[in-house]
Amino acid sequence: MKRFFRRSKYDVSSFEEENTLENILRLKKEEKGKIEAEEKEFQKQRRERERKLIIIEEEELNKRETERDYKMAELETLKYQNQLVVDKYEEQMKILRNKLEEVQEDQFVK
């Protein structure tokens, strides 16, 4: 029965070999490398998302500028139409004043 519970020479040496300082340092270096690679990938994805966000914001800005230009054009059209109405009103007022003066002169002369 002792034979089942005894460790062989190969088991002990392989266990000790796995736990050598060099192996531990190598494993540590590998894990740090993995962490750095993950961080680089994360930063790369973050930069890509930030670029996409900038593109979206530029599109938004262009859309807002287009809408502003359209509204300004509408405003200019309304101003022009309003000025036409004002000019027509002033012309009609001038005609009515002239007629009033003629009527007053005719009444004064008679």
Side-chain angles (χ1 to χ4, degrees), residues 59-110:
E59 290 174 0
E60 176 189 11
L61 181 62
N62 290 337
K63 182 67 174 172
R64 287 180 185 269
E65 287 175 350
T66 302
E67 288 178 4
R68 184 202 62 207
D69 293 343
Y70 177 75
K71 295 286 183 180
M72 291 298 288
E74 281 184 338
L75 179 62
E76 291 299 319
T77 302
L78 283 174
K79 283 182 179 180
Y80 176 74
Q81 291 172 350
N82 286 343
Q83 189 61 44
L84 290 177
V85 169
V86 168
D87 291 345
K88 189 174 182 179
Y89 169 79
E90 288 176 351
E91 186 179 330
Q92 288 176 351
M93 288 299 291
K94 185 177 178 183
I95 291 171
L96 289 175
R97 282 190 193 115
N98 289 340
K99 283 186 180 180
L100 178 63
E101 288 176 6
E102 287 177 12
V103 168
Q104 286 177 345
E105 286 177 7
D106 286 346
Q107 287 180 355
F108 183 69
V109 171
K110 288 184 181 180

Side-chain angles (χ1 to χ4, degrees), residues 39-77:
E39 287 177 357
K40 285 181 184 178
E41 183 63 27
F42 174 78
Q43 292 300 330
K44 180 181 175 185
Q45 290 175 354
R46 183 179 180 146
R47 284 190 301 271
E48 186 61 33
R49 288 185 184 123
E50 287 173 348
R51 284 187 200 114
K52 287 179 182 179
L53 184 60
I54 290 170
I55 291 170
I56 291 169
E57 288 175 345
E58 286 174 349
E59 290 174 0
E60 176 189 11
L61 181 62
N62 290 337
K63 182 67 174 172
R64 287 180 185 269
E65 287 175 350
T66 302
E67 288 178 4
R68 184 202 62 207
D69 293 343
Y70 177 75
K71 295 286 183 180
M72 291 298 288
E74 281 184 338
L75 179 62
E76 291 299 319
T77 302

Side-chain angles (χ1 to χ4, degrees), residues 22-49:
E22 291 174 0
N23 286 338
I24 292 172
L25 292 175
R26 180 183 50 80
L27 291 173
K28 180 180 174 182
K29 185 176 180 181
E30 287 175 3
E31 290 301 316
K32 281 187 177 183
K34 289 177 185 178
I35 290 172
E36 289 174 5
E38 288 175 2
E39 287 177 357
K40 285 181 184 178
E41 183 63 27
F42 174 78
Q43 292 300 330
K44 180 181 175 185
Q45 290 175 354
R46 183 179 180 146
R47 284 190 301 271
E48 186 61 33
R49 288 185 184 123

